[in-house]
Amino acid sequence: MRIEIEERDGIYKVKVNDPLPPVDFGFKGVKSSKSLSDFSLNVYEEKDYIVIEKPLDLREHVFGLGEKAVELDRRRKRYIMWNLDHYAYQKFQDPLYINIPFMITLLHGKAMGYFINSASKLIFDIGFEDYDKIKIKVPENGLEFYILEGPSIEEVIERYVEVTGKPFLPPEWAFGYMISRYSYYPQDKIVELVDLLQKEGIKVTGVFLDIDYMDSFKLFTWNKDRFYDPKKFIDELHSRGVKIITIVDHGVRADQNYKIFLSGLGKYCETDKGDLFVGKLWAGNCVYPDFFREETREWWSNLIAEWLSQGIDGIWLDMNEPTDFSMEYCINDVLGKLPINLKNLAEYKAFPDNVVHKLKDKVVPHSKVRNAYPYYEAEATFKGFEKAGRKDVFILSRSGYSGIQKYAFVWTGDSTPSWDQLKLQLQLVLGLSISGIPYVGIDIGGFLGRDLKEIDNSPEMLLKQFQISLFFPLFRTHKAKDGIDTEPIFLPSFYKEKIKEVINLRYKFLPYLYMLAVEAHEKGHPIVRPLFYEFQQDEDTYSIDDEYIAGKYLLYAPILQGEKRKVYLPIKVQWADFWNGEEVRGWVDSKHELPIYVRRGSIIPLSDGLLVYGDGRVVYNGVVIQSEGGIITFSKPLYLESLSLYSLQGKVLVNGKEANYKINGKIVMVDIRSEVREVKVV
Ligand SMILES: OC[C@H]1O[C@H](O[C@H]2[C@H](O)[C@@H](O)[C@@H](O[C@H]3[C@H](O)[C@@H](O)[C@@H](O)O[C@@H]3CO)O[C@@H]2CO)[C@H](O)[C@@H](O)[C@@H]1O
């Protein structure tokens, strides 16, 4: 076995034998004098695997790996990295849609990262088979992996995105309240629905169109009965300030009369015999673009650009694990004749073993690169936006691989609205965030309709789902055909008002969320963070995964059941209750149904000025902050790390002296780190 190590700024790239990485991230370093033993790593070959082994200390914690339906601390389990369409997944089921081969270890407050650039069916065994070992089994002969120094979790993530790419910067509207359903139609009813919501004072920034907008599920077509005049429809929504996002799956209907199918011939996935692989998806017999090939991505990006040119604003990439229904259909044929009901056939929705791809002119089996399919699909889609001359890019992807953060938002797939899953949804979102994907969300409402017994489609459950999502980067309702309507106007007035309150609060914080998106884009930092991300010296935070911090400054502890809860506020810093300004820290009882706490030393941009408990007047740590005509005054000097202002232009003077600040869109970020008496914008 041959091992070479290159390094650059705390990043070590290890090459084992002759790897063909699924994605060439282009990282270059200089030859390193370090050896694997310097990192306590042992790499060896075992049957069909290369194994990376490292000791697991009793006090060591492990985070990351993407979408895993367990606690955030990944210890004592074994994980399979294999993107699957796991409809109606439950806690502990593995794998799900997004597997990210990047883990962060934390021992005695010091973090290290490991990124294995392999899109095959890896196994991460975290102290399960061997109590005191982490074993990563890679079913390949050659391998590229990275060791990422900390010592903070934040620095590990910064190094991870240094390798795999910084997140893109989405438009502001992507953080608003967006609505979706499988499926909204016809076009006039959608406009009517938006009007009903907006008449009630509920602002919607986007509408998603699910597969029924298409003609016989053929990509890039309209069903003319349902959308008799797409241009009129697009114009009507745009005139209401609402964007349109259409679903685009990867299955192209195999049909001699369908020009897009014909235009893609030679660019689709093939079998190892060189035949076109024809599978099954919504449109019946389908072929799938081989996104690993550059010419396929080029072709796809042109299709996307042309589709966008009608005025479409966003693309929703679904089924891109990639999923194919042919094996499931065969199995269902057999099982349908038996008196048993096997609910989960996720495994059989993958491509069959004989599918191959062309990667850098080499023919590679699907199984060796599967997980990177959504990455390349998203890359090509992103390029379509660029070709269409779009500055605002919005892509939502169900699946992903390392690097997906450069192109897309992701969400947690077909979830179940059940009491068990509320916490799970939080864990999934935080798990993805800490795996380098800042733009994450859930189907608010839970996707599933009425076909499972654990489902609770009550307004109370819907409200809880809205509440947990308050600061999630993606804030979108979505529902299966047979579920309740999730738009609050259809609820009893008590719930309608409660949900309106959450939506309005979301808009109030939107400038702050956008500021965090800028931070994500510039540095790779997650938007919503587990507590231990910010307080990694505080071991009490390691197992808390029902609270989160949005950015550095807002701690949120959604109430998952009932009306009250205990909240942990890391004791190293001072917190103020957002609702009453009361100073709190440590374990406290929640006092409001949306328990939000603000960290000392912060002022947060809100839609109506800066962080406000009242209008233009902030009471913070007993200091009254007034904001009027571009002058912010403090009744007593107050220590501030930074100050974020919204929609202001001009020079910023802090205590009379020009301050360091950055303007990004509407946000002015002022670096302060001192006691402040007055801030003036001149
Ligand atoms: O575009 C429509 C929705 O597509 C996604 O959800 C679908 C999921 O990906 C499929 O696997 C499928 O699930 C069926 C399952 O395979 C089968 O064994 C049986 O249990 O019936 C299931 C339901 O038909 O259907 C899902 C849609 O119902 C996507 O995740 C959704 O967001 C889209 O709305």
Side-chain angles (χ1 to χ4, degrees):
M1 210 170 44
R2 234 175 330 106
I3 303 225
E4 288 162 46
I5 307 182
E6 283 171 40
E7 67 169 277
R8 195 183 79 208
D9 299 334
I11 300 171
Y12 301 85
K13 174 174 168 180
V14 183
K15 278 208 281 186
V16 183
N17 299 334
D18 293 311
L20 176 64
V23 180
D24 179 359
F25 289 109
F27 177 88
K28 297 259 175 309
V30 294
K31 196 172 168 4
S32 174
S33 56
K34 299 229 171 171
S35 70
L36 289 177
S37 58
D38 293 322
F39 301 99
S40 308
L41 291 180
N42 182 16
V43 176
Y44 55 89
E45 284 163 316
E46 185 186 88
K47 282 196 191 151
D48 302 326
Y49 290 93
I50 293 176
V51 183
I52 306 168
E53 195 178 283
K54 90 170 253 338
L56 175 68
D57 195 278
L58 280 179
R59 303 302 297 254
E60 193 159 7
H61 303 268
V62 180
F63 307 107
L65 302 183
E67 189 180 27
K68 296 290 168 196
V70 296
E71 295 75 16
L72 289 175
D73 190 345
R74 310 305 198 195
R75 288 195 316 169
R76 304 282 166 241
K77 290 182 187 64
R78 184 166 32 197
Y79 305 91
I80 312 283
M81 312 304 274
W82 193 237
N83 292 345
L84 284 184
D85 174 359
H86 208 137
Y87 176 77
Y89 59 88
Q90 301 295 316
K91 188 158 185 179
F92 301 126
Q93 289 184 331
D94 185 62
L96 306 184
Y97 309 87
I98 308 170
N99 294 277
I100 304 292
F102 162 50
M103 69 171 187
I104 303 168
T105 57
L106 188 57
L107 178 61
H108 306 311
K110 190 171 169 263
M112 283 292 282
Y114 305 86
F115 162 47
I116 318 302
N117 190 9
S118 164
S120 60
K121 202 179 210 168
L122 312 185
I123 299 169
F124 276 74
D125 185 308
I126 318 287
F128 179 77
E129 193 178 282
D130 284 317
Y131 186 69
D132 61 347
K133 284 191 184 84
I134 295 177
K135 279 190 191 169
I136 305 166
K137 295 174 114 183
V138 187
E140 298 193 53
N141 309 320
L143 172 65
E144 165 186 300
F145 74 94
Y146 294 81
I147 304 164
L148 310 162
E149 278 182 352
S152 68
I153 294 177
E154 189 161 271
E155 284 160 303
V156 170
I157 293 183
E158 283 172 359
R159 293 198 161 99
Y160 171 73
V161 299
E162 181 61 32
V163 175
T164 59
K166 299 244 173 81
F168 78 113
L169 182 62
E172 250 179 282
W173 59 261
F175 297 89
Y177 166 46
M178 302 205 274
I179 58 171
S180 182
R181 159 125 234 169
Y182 176 22
S183 299
Y184 290 134
Y185 62 80
Q187 66 178 71
D188 293 335
K189 286 284 165 229
I190 303 176
V191 177
E192 197 181 326
L193 176 64
V194 166
D195 282 345
L196 282 176
L197 283 157
Q198 304 215 334
K199 237 179 251 153
E200 285 270 0
I202 302 172
K203 185 175 159 194
V204 175
T205 60
V207 171
F208 285 68
L209 300 185
D210 207 325
I211 51 174
D212 297 301
Y213 77 85
M214 290 179 264
D215 169 20
S216 314
F217 306 120
K218 284 184 291 202
L219 308 186
F220 308 112
T221 65
W222 291 98
N223 176 318
K224 287 291 180 156
D225 292 332
R226 294 169 180 164
F227 293 83
Y228 61 88
D229 186 347
K231 180 171 180 333
K232 176 170 177 272
F233 169 67
I234 293 166
D235 289 346
E236 282 178 338
L237 284 193
H238 282 172
S239 69
R240 287 161 173 79
V242 178
K243 307 291 183 186
I244 298 129
I245 301 106
T246 58
I247 200 168
V248 178
D249 292 327
H250 61 310
V252 178
R253 178 156 140 162
D255 177 343
Q256 296 292 344
N257 299 314
Y258 174 34
K259 72 174 193 310
I260 286 179
F261 163 71
L262 297 175
S263 74
L265 285 171
K267 299 180 180 68
Y268 299 121
C269 299
E270 294 174 359
T271 69
D272 50 9
K273 301 262 177 330
D275 300 329
L276 189 59
F277 165 51
V278 183
K280 294 218 182 286
L281 212 68
W282 305 120
N285 289 339
C286 284
V287 292
Y288 303 105
D290 184 1
F291 287 112
F292 291 89
R293 302 187 212 169
E294 218 170 303
E295 73 268 21
T296 305
R297 298 202 288 276
E298 195 57 27
W299 164 76
W300 180 264
S301 61
N302 289 334
L303 292 174
I304 293 284
E306 200 182 322
W307 181 245
L308 292 173
S309 68
Q310 326 164 61
I312 302 289
D313 304 282
I315 299 290
W316 169 16
L317 300 173
D318 195 21
M319 316 301 285
N320 54 350
E321 293 69 31
T323 288
D324 169 62
F325 289 153
S326 29
M327 287 197 286
E328 191 199 29
Y329 283 2
C330 293
I331 288 170
N332 270 337
D333 271 357
V334 178
L335 291 181
K337 297 182 184 101
L338 299 173
I340 51 169
N341 178 16
L342 281 188
K343 254 197 259 160
N344 219 314
L345 296 174
E347 286 268 355
Y348 301 100
K349 288 192 215 169
F351 281 8
D353 285 346
N354 63 343
V355 174
V356 294
H357 301 285
K358 282 184 199 141
L359 175 63
K360 293 197 164 168
D361 295 329
K362 292 212 168 73
V363 174
V364 289
H366 180 68
S367 64
K368 297 290 175 206
V369 289
R370 173 178 173 78
N371 293 343
Y373 188 90
Y375 170 89
Y376 284 118
E377 185 197 31
E379 182 192 283
T381 307
F382 195 92
K383 201 159 178 207
F385 279 81
E386 290 175 340
K387 281 191 175 162
R390 293 297 181 82
K391 286 214 177 72
D392 284 1
V393 179
F394 180 83
I395 300 172
L396 174 64
S397 173
R398 189 170 74 177
S399 187
Y401 179 69
S402 295
I404 189 77
Q405 71 272 7
K406 292 180 286 188
Y407 310 121
F409 277 69
V410 299
W411 91 106
T412 58
D414 294 341
S415 59
T416 306
S418 72
W419 292 97
D420 275 0
Q421 281 227 356
L422 272 177
K423 187 166 171 190
L424 177 62
Q425 290 304 313
L426 262 173
Q427 290 167 331
L428 290 171
V429 166
L430 293 176
L432 283 161
S433 295
I434 199 134
S435 304
I437 310 179
Y439 308 125
V440 196
I442 65 172
D443 279 348
I444 299 179
F447 179 71
L448 264 74
R450 299 192 171 86
D451 59 354
L452 279 184
K453 68 175 184 318
E454 56 269 44
I455 284 178
D456 179 344
N457 260 318
S458 65
E460 180 67 20
M461 168 60 64
L462 181 59
L463 170 64
K464 290 287 181 202
Q465 298 234 348
F466 265 100
Q467 288 179 341
I468 63 168
S469 308
L470 178 59
F471 298 115
F472 287 173
L474 180 75
F475 193 68
R476 175 190 86 139
T477 47
H478 184 51
K479 205 32 126 178
K481 289 193 179 229
D482 57 350
I484 54 159
D485 288 330
T486 54
E487 302 77 17
I489 44 170
F490 301 119
L491 299 177
S493 52
F494 174 82
Y495 288 101
K496 181 172 75 184
E497 292 310 316
K498 290 270 171 214
I499 290 178
K500 266 173 81 173
E501 221 176 289
V502 179
I503 296 173
N504 289 338
L505 196 61
R506 164 81 178 192
Y507 281 114
K508 191 179 176 77
F509 279 104
L510 205 118
Y512 180 58
L513 285 177
Y514 191 68
M515 181 184 102
L516 296 179
V518 172
E519 186 183 329
H521 171 61
E522 288 179 349
K523 299 181 173 156
H525 299 169
I527 291 181
V528 290
R529 309 166 181 181
L531 268 53
F532 56 77
Y533 176 96
E534 284 294 332
F535 301 97
Q536 73 182 51
Q537 305 303 332
D538 180 349
E539 292 214 20
D540 278 1
T541 60
Y542 293 3
S543 57
I544 294 182
D545 40 19
D546 59 355
E547 299 179 19
Y548 61 90
I549 307 193
K552 217 173 160 54
Y553 299 128
L554 276 186
L555 187 148
Y556 180 46
I559 299 176
L560 301 181
Q561 206 141 22
E563 281 161 15
K564 278 193 167 176
R565 61 165 293 169
K566 282 269 181 227
V567 178
Y568 180 65
L569 298 160
I571 48 170
K572 286 270 158 58
V573 299
Q574 183 64 59
W575 300 90
D577 187 315
F578 172 73
W579 299 101
N580 60 17
E582 193 189 323
E583 288 200 327
V584 276
R585 67 165 91 184
W587 286 99
V588 299
D589 289 318
S590 63
K591 296 271 175 60
H592 190 277
E593 62 184 318
L594 298 167
I596 300 172
Y597 303 88
V598 185
R599 183 176 176 169
R600 183 172 188 268
S602 64
I603 288 193
I604 294 167
L606 298 180
S607 58
D608 43 1
L610 64 157
L611 185 118
V612 194
Y613 297 146
D615 270 340
R617 193 166 175 275
V618 187
V619 181
Y620 190 72
N621 289 348
V623 180
V624 179
I625 305 169
Q626 303 267 18
S627 159
E628 216 183 317
I631 303 181
I632 301 157
T633 49
F634 299 76
S635 64
K636 284 190 268 172
L638 179 68
Y639 175 82
L640 292 180
E641 282 194 19
S642 65
L643 175 68
S644 305
L645 308 172
Y646 189 61
S647 269
L648 288 176
Q649 281 174 350
K651 275 189 192 163
V652 182
L653 305 182
V654 175
N655 300 336
K657 279 201 201 124
E658 193 171 343
N660 275 332
Y661 60 93
K662 261 197 299 189
I663 303 181
N664 213 319
K666 288 184 182 162
I667 312 257
V668 182
M669 283 191 265
V670 192
D671 192 15
I672 297 187
R673 299 161 208 268
S674 69
E675 297 231 305
V676 189
R677 278 171 280 107
E678 188 203 60
V679 178
K680 217 181 199 173
V681 182
V682 290

